[in-house]
Amino acid sequence: MKALYIASSGMAAQERNVEVISNNIANMRTTGYKKARAEFQDLLYQAYRQAGSTTSESGTMAPVAIEIGSGVRTAATPRIMSQGTPELTEKELDLAVRGEGFFVVQMPDGRTGYTRDGSFERGPDGQLVTVDGYAVQPGITIPGNANQVQVSADGVVEVYLDNATTPTQVGQLQLARFVNKAGLASAGNNLFVETASSGPAQVGAPTTDGIGDLLQGYLEASNVNSVTEIADLIAAQRAYEMNARVISGADEMMQSTTQLR
């Protein structure tokens, strides 16, 4: 009976949906996290009668078809790249992006990573790095005798050395934007990498060409809405239960047919 396989595809799809939702909920407090959403497509149909087929010798036509679908599949799990809320931390190396841009990071394997997580630290040589020690690009080194760091909205990094009353500029941060942000591939550790679907990175200074600006002493919270995720979870559970009931009902029908024989 086809209903068994159709309903089983529905259960598998909702299982994947719950996995996506659970990952969103697990990352509610992950800095710069962008939630994902499961999207589905119906599968092939078996046509028992085509729309427009002849139904009599006089030439009358069927206005609608008789089609039976074969279930559902997970089509994509795109990221929702909406802005998260900036949260005050008062830490001078914490930076939040307001706008489209991503921080540029040099990954250990030589690839370039992109992140919305601006929780930066000083490395052992004074270089600005992520919490995993990956260098923020372009390389910016903060002198050891710097007692205050200032980062402007346009990414200019200035430090006060020793007892100096005027700041010294040590570099300028760059941001990257993409034609299709949702096409970026997740690399873990709050990092994304470029793909053919995302298009090449367009790197520029903050506040230029709509790339966004920086907020010092803030971090961008995840864009996960707990109420929405719980509602989606309940809906996925109900859909899973309904497909399970279909399987149970189809099994009972098959048993009844067997007994009649």
Side-chain angles (χ1 to χ4, degrees), residues 33-34 77 79 81 111 183-189 191-193 195:
Y33 176 78
K34 302 302 178 186
T77 55
R79 293 274 185 173
M81 292 292 191
R111 293 183 298 168
L184 292 168
S186 303
N189 298 323
L191 293 172
F192 297 96
V193 292
T195 69

Side-chain angles (χ1 to χ4, degrees), residues 132-143:
D132 291 313
Y134 303 164
V136 180
Q137 300 299 307
I140 294 175
T141 300
I142 300 172

Side-chain angles (χ1 to χ4, degrees), residues 20 45 94 112 205:
V20 172
Y45 286 79
D94 282 348
T112 300

Side-chain angles (χ1 to χ4, degrees), residues 40-215:
F40 306 100
Q41 289 180 343
D42 53 356
L43 297 177
L44 294 174
Y45 286 79
Q46 182 175 358
Y48 293 92
R49 185 178 71 181
Q50 296 286 353
S53 61
T54 302
T55 59
S56 71
E57 293 181 357
S58 61
T60 56
M61 292 188 301
V64 294
I66 300 175
E67 297 177 332
I68 303 298
S70 53
V72 62
R73 72 180 182 92
T74 305
T77 55
R79 293 274 185 173
I80 309 301
M81 292 292 191
S82 58
Q83 177 81 46
T85 303
E87 295 184 341
L88 179 65
T89 65
E90 297 184 353
K91 184 171 175 286
E92 65 181 8
L93 292 182
D94 282 348
L95 302 173
V97 179
R98 291 187 301 183
E100 297 287 315
F102 292 79
F103 295 108
V104 184
V105 174
Q106 185 66 45
M107 299 171 66
D109 59 5
R111 293 183 298 168
T112 300
Y114 305 92
T115 183
R116 297 281 292 192
D117 182 1
S119 53
F120 300 138
E121 303 288 346
R122 293 192 206 183
D125 56 356
Q127 190 173 24
L128 193 65
V129 297
T130 68
V131 292
D132 291 313
Y134 303 164
V136 180
Q137 300 299 307
I140 294 175
T141 300
I142 300 172
N145 59 338
N147 52 40
Q148 185 180 352
V149 180
Q150 291 183 344
V151 183
S152 64
D154 59 359
V156 174
V157 182
E158 297 178 323
V159 298
Y160 286 87
L161 302 175
D162 297 323
N163 297 320
T165 57
T166 57
T168 300
Q169 182 174 334
V170 294
Q172 181 171 23
L173 290 166
Q174 302 284 305
L175 296 178
R177 66 184 303 184
F178 298 87
V179 174
N180 176 25
K181 295 184 293 183
L184 292 168
S186 303
N189 298 323
N190 285 0
L191 293 172
F192 297 96
V193 292
E194 180 183 312
T195 69
S197 295
S198 68
Q202 303 169 13
V203 180
T207 72
T208 62
D209 300 325
I211 203 168
D213 60 1
L214 301 181
L215 276 175

